[in-house]
Amino acid sequence: MLDHGFVWIVVFLALAFDYINGFHDTANAIATSVSTRAIAPKTAVEMAAILNFLGALVSTGVAKTIGGDLVRSADLINSEVIAAALLGGITWNLLTWWWGIPSSSSHALIGGVIGAVCVSVGYEALNASGIERIFLSLVLSPIIAMGVGFSIMILLLWIFGKQSPVVLNHRFRNMQLISASLMAFSHGSNDAQKAMGIITLALLSGGYIETLDVPLWVKLACAAAMALGTAAGGWRIISTMGTKIFRMETINGFAADLGSALTIFTATFLHLPVSTTHVVSGSIMGVGSAKRVNAVNWSVARSMVMAWFVTIPLSAGVSAVIYLIIDFIVR
């Protein structure tokens, strides 16, 4: 049974993770619309915060996947393990935010859980089939988003390609308000649920609840933490996402946001966690490739992909060390 005081430390850390996830991933929802000047930065952040909050309240399917598919049973872990996992994810998120690297909060959290569980009770406590399912959704989603973004851009070029760039930019500036809104809402619908799942797992392990159903107060708290974090903004990553992959016009931004939102909504419907950072990056690369392959700054893309691959093992390592420190202190 978990120490009751430690459970609430876990709740605080999960909300802190959600807050950091909010400002770390603000770029996902608004980078394209800000970089094309379709929306003023302050307005874009405020809009994203509101829609992130609303999106976080629509479903709990992803939360149940996170809470139930990472470990074989809630009885096998304790609050020290969950706290170490969250601290590992938070540490990696802060480092990548400081460096301006659009890394994945989802990868950081999952890597944190894996590292903390392995060093505490052993890898046999992990739910191998559940982790495989989550891992596949994380890996395949940016590839799918790239294909969706490419297809949408090709379709738009086929329909509107003969119009002048000035006319297209004016027309799609308003359309980008819609696509950016969809992107912000979809971000909240998937990302906020990850912290919900971790809190619900902690409450279940501590005997506060009897089933893996997300309490209403957990939904509201996580939605609020995500929204507040989004309102804080994440300008370092906005710069990378919005300008350094390739130079976008409003039609490109619309296609990238729409492709990202469709991919994330589909994943949320299937109760699968995805990295919104990876999805948006993949969609932007697909849109840029549709314009022309050399329009994409593939050196920036390569550095981002490298960050994607190292996030899980590095955050796992950080969480493992943190667990050992916590265990030494409380022993």
Side-chain angles (χ1 to χ4, degrees):
M1 183 70 68
L2 289 171
D3 176 76
H4 286 193
F6 226 118
V7 170
W8 298 108
I9 293 175
V10 168
V11 171
F12 171 79
L13 288 173
L15 293 177
F17 177 86
D18 235 3
Y19 176 86
I20 293 168
N21 190 3
F23 77 70
H24 187 275
D25 288 359
T26 300
N28 298 340
I30 64 174
T32 57
S33 55
V34 169
S35 67
T36 60
R37 300 182 180 179
I39 311 176
K42 183 179 178 181
T43 303
V45 171
E46 292 170 350
M47 176 198 75
I50 294 169
L51 290 170
N52 263 302
F53 178 84
L54 296 175
L57 299 177
V58 300
S59 171
T60 58
V62 174
K64 292 180 180 179
T65 297
I66 291 292
D69 282 11
L70 289 174
V71 294
R72 289 196 292 109
S73 172
D75 296 332
L76 296 174
I77 60 173
N78 58 30
S79 57
E80 295 175 29
V81 177
I82 301 174
L86 287 166
L87 285 170
I90 288 170
T91 300
W92 182 254
N93 268 356
L94 289 174
L95 287 173
T96 52
W97 166 78
W98 179 255
W99 292 325
I101 300 172
S103 177
S104 167
S105 299
S106 305
H107 284 209
L109 179 61
I110 290 164
V113 172
I114 292 173
V117 170
C118 285
V119 79
S120 58
V121 293
Y123 69 90
E124 62 274 5
L126 296 171
N127 182 351
S129 61
I131 290 175
E132 181 181 353
R133 178 168 171 259
I134 292 171
F135 185 75
L136 282 174
S137 71
L138 291 172
V139 170
L140 293 177
S141 54
I143 299 172
I144 293 171
M146 184 181 292
V148 173
F150 180 88
S151 300
I152 291 173
M153 192 66 238
I154 290 294
L155 179 62
L156 291 177
L157 290 174
W158 181 69
I159 297 173
F160 301 105
K162 294 182 180 180
Q163 297 187 19
S164 71
V166 174
V167 172
L168 283 179
N169 280 333
H170 178 73
R171 175 172 294 180
F172 279 93
R173 180 165 282 110
N174 293 330
M175 293 293 290
Q176 205 173 353
L177 294 174
I178 299 173
S179 63
S181 298
L182 288 173
M183 180 57 226
F185 188 87
S186 68
H187 175 264
S189 75
N190 199 281
D191 264 27
Q193 292 194 54
K194 293 154 191 171
M196 291 183 201
I198 293 295
I199 292 176
T200 304
L201 178 62
L203 294 173
L204 180 62
S205 299
Y208 286 89
I209 56 177
E210 296 181 355
T211 60
L212 196 67
D213 292 314
V214 182
L216 178 60
W217 70 266
V218 173
K219 291 178 65 176
L220 291 172
C222 289
M226 175 73 74
L228 289 172
T230 301
W235 306 110
R236 293 174 183 268
I237 295 173
I238 287 173
S239 174
T240 300
M241 297 281 280
T243 63
K244 293 183 180 178
I245 299 177
F246 92 102
R247 288 285 176 181
M248 287 182 284
E249 303 292 342
T250 55
I251 187 171
N252 307 128
F254 171 81
D257 283 343
L258 183 58
S260 301
L262 290 174
T263 304
I264 296 168
F265 276 134
T266 301
T268 301
F269 177 77
L270 296 174
H271 300 171
L272 293 172
V274 296
S275 166
T276 53
T277 305
H278 293 194
V279 167
V280 174
S281 301
S283 185
I284 291 173
M285 291 177 198
V287 169
S289 298
K291 186 176 181 181
R292 65 181 187 277
V293 173
N294 61 1
V296 178
N297 186 344
W298 293 108
S299 62
V300 173
R302 280 195 299 271
S303 67
M304 290 168 57
V305 171
M306 182 61 68
W308 298 347
F309 279 109
V310 302
T311 293
I312 288 181
L314 288 182
S315 59
V318 172
S319 294
V321 172
I322 290 174
Y323 172 80
L324 293 174
I325 294 172
I326 293 174
D327 188 56
F328 176 79
I329 292 172
V330 302
R331 187 178 299 172

